[in-house]
């Protein structure tokens, strides 16, 4: 009897189904393509990518940040999307290692493809990988150092981590300056991982070296016309309320009147309404009134007459942070009795210039950990990339303050983990040992790629490094400045244990998820009904 295959998918409407080897190959190819896309950005000598928007040709981004590159692309391949989401998670949780996690996952899948070609079942590979990642993390934790009890040694560790993180970014030429700046900013948080207290503003002009850390909060706005430019110990009201209704707005609305006098009466009524609102605000006796929305000429005039300084149209993020660091509430109604609105305080408020732009500085705010990093640079692209680089360093440092263990960088930790996994593989019988060896090879690919990106001979350096670790010299890594292997203790190339551990965990989980796939089903697009 002839067998009939049931029809499940509407292939004529665009549905597709890939099974078995084809599905697995499609997943591998997509993930490896993503890894190959960002692998040239890895390490201190990594290259940059130019990202240009199709919808807005004027929008150009120059970056070597893995998460920024991967966020900007929209692949059709499902496995590629998994890798992109893994990189985004690494960026949001740790802040650094976004390229490493994508590259390591890609290399794991490259090794898995070879093992699958040898007829080794994916579940056998996964079983070996799970034992390998457990052993790798155990070796990494054993090699980690913790100087939590010694504040001076811990601060030196933070500076080394900041230098190592920044060395692969656009800020690498000024890494001492920015490392000290980022460590000072993070230590002001007193153990908190809330980076909302660190405000970064970008001002074109000067060079990156002119960037500085300013204690307090800087708002990129200016006071109203004819108002005082400096106040001491002011009471500050932060609001998000419309202060622009002293004129009739006609947006498709229709007002029918019989004469111009009637229009004047409506405008006078609007003015009285606004004057009443200003009077309600003044009952709370603020010295400075900061509004998220516009403040039109008439209310500004009333505030100036009452001796109250105003700042209008402050951006929402700025208002949120300002209220947070000064301990104020964001008010929207003012009909309560005086004292019902919680106002912010600080030691002084002053307007000054950065470059050619006016800014307002709030010094001595209630939350003493608040500070502002002023970034200077030649153009907007440099400033944007510098901000991303500094944000990565701040994220890693804030995590290190919470999880204080550190490990050596420069490929040292990867070689250390690979050596431990190889040792386990030699004592493991069966096909699982092949999967463990593949995991170790994937780990060794990271220092190999770092060496290649620096223009050095990886086929010479990596075997030497492997031999050193085999002999027990577990602090040896790549010296990318001189193109040789060196002791990471002397070179002070240090990374966060949490960052390095998370890279291995996330890359393994992403690779495992993709390797388990044996079928890809693409649904038919929804049919649009005609009118």
């Amino acid at each position: 009897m002839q067998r009939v295959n049931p029809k499940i998918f509407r292939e004529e409407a665009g549905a597709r189904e890939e099974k078995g080897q084809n599905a697995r190959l499609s997943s591998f190819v997509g993930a490896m393509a993503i890894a190959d896309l960002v692998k040239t950005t890895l390490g201190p000598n990594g290259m940059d990518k130019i990202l240009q928007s199709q919808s807005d040709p004027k929008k150009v981004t120059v970056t070597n940040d893995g998460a920024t590159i991967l966020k900007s692309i929209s692949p059709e391949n499902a496995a590629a999307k998994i890798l992109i989401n893994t990189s985004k998670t690494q960026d949001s949780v740790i802040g650094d290692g976004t390229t490493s996690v994508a590259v390591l996952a890609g290399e794991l899948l490259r090794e898995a493809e070879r093992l699958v070609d040898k007829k080794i079942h994916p579940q056998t590979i996964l079983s070996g990988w799970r034992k390998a990642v457990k052993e790798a993390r155990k070796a990494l934790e054993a090699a980690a150092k913790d100087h939590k009890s010694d504040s001076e040694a811990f601060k030196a560790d933070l500076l080394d981590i900041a230098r190592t993180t920044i060395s692969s970014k656009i800020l690498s030429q000024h890494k001492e300056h920015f490392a000290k700046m980022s460590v000072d900013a993070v230590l002001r948080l007193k153990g908190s991982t809330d980076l909302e207290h660190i405000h970064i503003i970008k001002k074109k002009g000067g060079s990156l070296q002119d960037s500085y850390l300013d204690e307090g909060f800087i708002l990129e706005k200016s006071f109203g016309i004819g108002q005082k430019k400096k106040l001491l110990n002011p009471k500050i009201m932060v609001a998000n309320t419309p202060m622009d209704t002293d004129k009739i707005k006609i947006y498709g609305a229709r007002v029918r009147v019989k004469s111009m006098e009637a229009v004047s009466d409506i405008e006078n009524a609007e003015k009285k309404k606004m004057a009443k609102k200003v009077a309600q605000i003044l009952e709370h006796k603020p010295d400075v009134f900061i509004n998220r929305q516009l403040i039109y000429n008439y209310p500004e005039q009333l505030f100036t007459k009452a001796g109250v300084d105003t700042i209008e149209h402050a951006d929402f993020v700025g208002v949120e942070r300002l209220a947070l660091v000064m301990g104020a509430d964001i008010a929207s109604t003012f009909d309560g009795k005086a004292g019902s609105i919680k106002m912010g305080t600080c030691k002084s408020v002053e307007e000054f210039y950065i470059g050619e732009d006016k800014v307002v500085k709030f010094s001595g705010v209630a939350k003493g950990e608040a500070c502002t990093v002023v970034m200077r640079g030649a153009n907007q692209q440099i400033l944007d990339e510098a901000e991303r680089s500094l944000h990565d360093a701040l994220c890693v440092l804030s995590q290190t303050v919470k999880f204080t263990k550190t490990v050596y960088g420069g490929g040292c930790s990867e070689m250390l983990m690979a050596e431990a996994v190889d040792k386990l593989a030699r004592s493991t019988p069966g096909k699982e040992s092949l999967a463990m060896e593949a995991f170790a090879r994937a780990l060794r690919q990271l220092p190999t790629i770092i060496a290649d990106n620096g223009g050095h001979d990886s086929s010479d350096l990596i075997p030497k490094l492997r031999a050193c670790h085999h002999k027990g010299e577990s602090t040896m890594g790549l010296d990318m400045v001189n193109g040789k292997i060196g002791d990471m203790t002397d070179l002070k190339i240090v990374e966060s244990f949490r960052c390095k551990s998370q890279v291995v965990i996330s890359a393994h989980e992403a690779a495992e998820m993709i390797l388990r796939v044996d079928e890809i089903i693409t649904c038919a697009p929804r049919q649009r009904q005609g009118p």
Side-chain angles (χ1 to χ4, degrees):
M1 187 174 72
Q2 188 179 1
R3 185 172 177 177
V4 178
N5 289 322
K7 185 178 178 183
I8 301 173
F9 304 105
R10 294 172 58 203
E11 293 179 6
E12 70 281 357
R16 295 200 315 272
E17 180 187 23
E18 294 178 80
K19 285 188 174 182
Q21 195 66 17
N22 288 340
R24 198 167 284 124
L25 187 61
S26 175
S27 299
F28 288 169
V29 168
M32 287 188 285
I34 291 295
D36 291 341
L37 175 69
V38 294
K39 72 157 60 170
T40 56
T41 67
L42 190 65
N45 300 112
M47 306 300 282
D48 289 359
K49 309 282 184 193
I50 292 179
L51 309 173
Q52 190 165 8
S53 172
Q54 283 278 351
S55 56
D56 185 8
K58 291 181 181 177
K59 187 180 178 184
V60 175
T61 305
V62 182
T63 183
N64 75 341
D65 180 55
T68 305
I69 295 165
L70 296 179
K71 280 176 192 172
S72 305
I73 60 175
S74 302
E76 290 185 7
N77 187 283
K81 289 176 183 175
I82 291 170
L83 228 55
I84 290 171
N85 289 336
T86 304
S87 182
K88 285 180 184 176
T89 304
Q90 179 76 12
D91 187 44
S92 61
V93 174
I94 306 293
D96 197 27
T98 54
T99 306
S100 300
V101 74
V103 172
L104 181 55
E107 293 302 326
L108 283 169
L109 291 170
R110 208 183 301 275
E111 293 293 336
E113 185 184 20
R114 292 176 188 140
L115 293 175
V116 169
D117 285 344
K118 293 178 181 176
K119 306 300 180 188
I120 298 175
H121 196 275
Q123 289 298 344
T124 307
I125 299 170
L126 294 176
S127 178
W129 279 5
R130 289 184 195 121
K131 291 177 182 176
V133 78
K134 190 175 178 182
E135 186 66 21
R137 287 189 65 201
K138 186 177 169 185
L140 188 67
E141 191 155 5
K145 291 181 167 50
D146 192 349
H147 293 136
K148 181 170 59 175
S149 55
D150 186 346
S151 60
E152 287 299 316
F154 184 58
K155 188 174 180 181
D157 280 349
L158 290 177
L159 283 166
D160 291 339
I161 289 170
R163 288 189 202 101
T164 305
T165 304
I166 289 169
S167 65
S168 63
K169 315 285 184 186
I170 195 173
L171 306 175
S172 58
Q173 299 302 312
H174 314 291
K175 64 182 177 184
E176 289 294 333
H177 177 65
F178 283 99
K180 188 175 184 306
M181 188 192 300
S182 51
V183 169
D184 288 346
V186 166
L187 288 178
R188 287 178 67 88
L189 298 178
K190 299 169 187 171
S192 169
T193 56
D194 184 10
L195 297 180
E196 287 295 308
H197 293 101
I198 303 173
H199 187 45
I200 300 175
I201 63 173
K202 301 172 284 187
K203 291 293 176 186
K204 284 182 272 191
S207 69
L208 288 169
Q209 187 72 31
D210 298 329
S211 304
Y212 63 92
L213 177 71
D214 202 314
E215 295 182 4
F217 190 91
I218 295 176
L219 194 63
E220 296 177 80
K221 290 292 170 183
S222 60
F223 288 128
I225 298 166
Q227 296 175 353
K228 289 175 282 187
K229 304 303 177 189
K230 184 173 181 179
L231 296 95
L232 297 175
N233 300 312
K235 289 193 289 182
I236 300 163
M237 181 181 285
V238 183
N240 183 8
T241 186
M243 300 293 289
D244 54 358
T245 52
D246 61 317
K247 296 178 183 176
I248 292 176
K249 293 181 185 176
I250 302 173
Y251 297 121
R254 185 176 295 176
V255 180
R256 290 184 177 177
V257 291
K258 292 180 180 179
S259 65
M260 289 305 294
E261 285 80 5
V263 174
S264 178
D265 291 342
I266 294 171
E267 287 186 337
N268 287 333
E270 287 281 349
K271 273 194 170 185
K272 284 181 183 177
K273 188 179 173 184
M274 180 53 65
K276 183 183 176 185
K277 189 172 189 178
V278 171
Q280 286 177 338
I281 293 169
L282 292 175
E283 280 179 12
H284 295 276
K285 298 180 180 178
D287 298 312
V288 180
F289 179 72
I290 301 170
N291 194 23
R292 166 72 183 84
Q293 301 180 45
L294 287 170
I295 302 175
Y296 269 16
N297 297 341
Y298 179 63
E300 186 180 299
Q301 180 187 333
L302 295 176
F303 280 122
T304 306
K305 192 175 178 181
V308 175
D309 281 19
T310 58
I311 299 174
E312 67 168 359
H313 217 227
D315 65 278
F316 191 73
V317 174
V319 165
E320 287 271 316
R321 283 182 170 166
L322 190 60
L324 174 71
V325 300
M326 291 196 307
D329 290 336
I330 299 176
S332 57
T333 56
F334 312 94
D335 48 4
K337 60 182 181 180
S340 60
I341 295 174
K342 188 179 178 185
M343 288 193 278
T345 57
C346 63
K347 288 183 179 176
S348 70
V349 180
E350 183 180 4
E351 182 181 288
F352 68 102
Y353 281 88
I354 295 178
E356 297 179 356
D357 300 325
K358 287 181 183 178
V359 296
V360 179
K361 178 182 175 184
F362 299 81
S363 302
V365 294
K367 292 281 181 86
E369 54 263 39
C371 58
T372 302
V373 177
V374 180
M375 304 292 297
R376 305 300 306 278
N379 58 48
Q380 194 60 43
Q381 282 78 21
I382 286 175
L383 285 171
D384 290 342
E385 179 65 358
E387 183 191 18
R388 281 189 290 269
S389 304
L390 189 67
H391 183 263
D392 285 358
L394 292 171
C395 286
V396 172
L397 289 172
S398 65
Q399 289 292 328
T400 309
V401 168
K402 192 174 180 182
F403 304 96
T404 52
K405 290 183 179 179
T406 59
V407 293
Y408 291 119
C412 171
S413 296
E414 285 81 3
M415 297 301 287
L416 182 81
M417 289 187 284
E419 183 65 29
V421 173
D422 263 343
K423 189 175 179 183
L424 178 67
R426 286 195 293 271
S427 61
T428 303
K431 293 179 181 178
E432 284 185 1
S433 63
L434 297 175
M436 293 177 188
E437 288 169 4
F439 194 94
R441 282 196 298 274
L443 284 169
R444 288 195 191 95
Q445 278 300 109
L446 287 177
T448 304
I449 292 164
I450 291 171
D452 287 338
N453 288 346
H456 303 302
D457 186 3
S458 61
S459 58
D460 176 50
L461 291 174
I462 302 306
K464 285 181 181 176
L465 190 55
R466 186 177 180 181
C468 288
H469 279 265
H470 189 66
K471 288 188 287 185
E473 297 173 17
S474 58
T475 60
M476 300 300 283
L478 294 172
D479 177 1
M480 294 302 292
V481 176
N482 301 308
K484 60 180 185 180
I485 60 171
D487 193 329
M488 297 295 102
T489 311
D490 299 333
L491 295 172
K492 296 183 178 179
I493 299 175
V494 179
E495 292 188 51
S496 164
F497 166 77
R498 179 160 164 76
C499 176
K500 191 66 75 177
S501 176
Q502 191 64 43
V503 165
V504 177
I505 294 165
S506 298
H508 163 250
E509 287 180 353
E512 178 171 333
M513 179 180 279
I514 293 167
L515 183 56
R516 291 170 72 96
V517 171
D518 73 338
E519 188 169 356
I520 299 173
I521 300 165
T522 306
C523 298
R526 184 168 59 88
Q527 298 297 315
R528 295 188 178 274
Q529 300 295 327

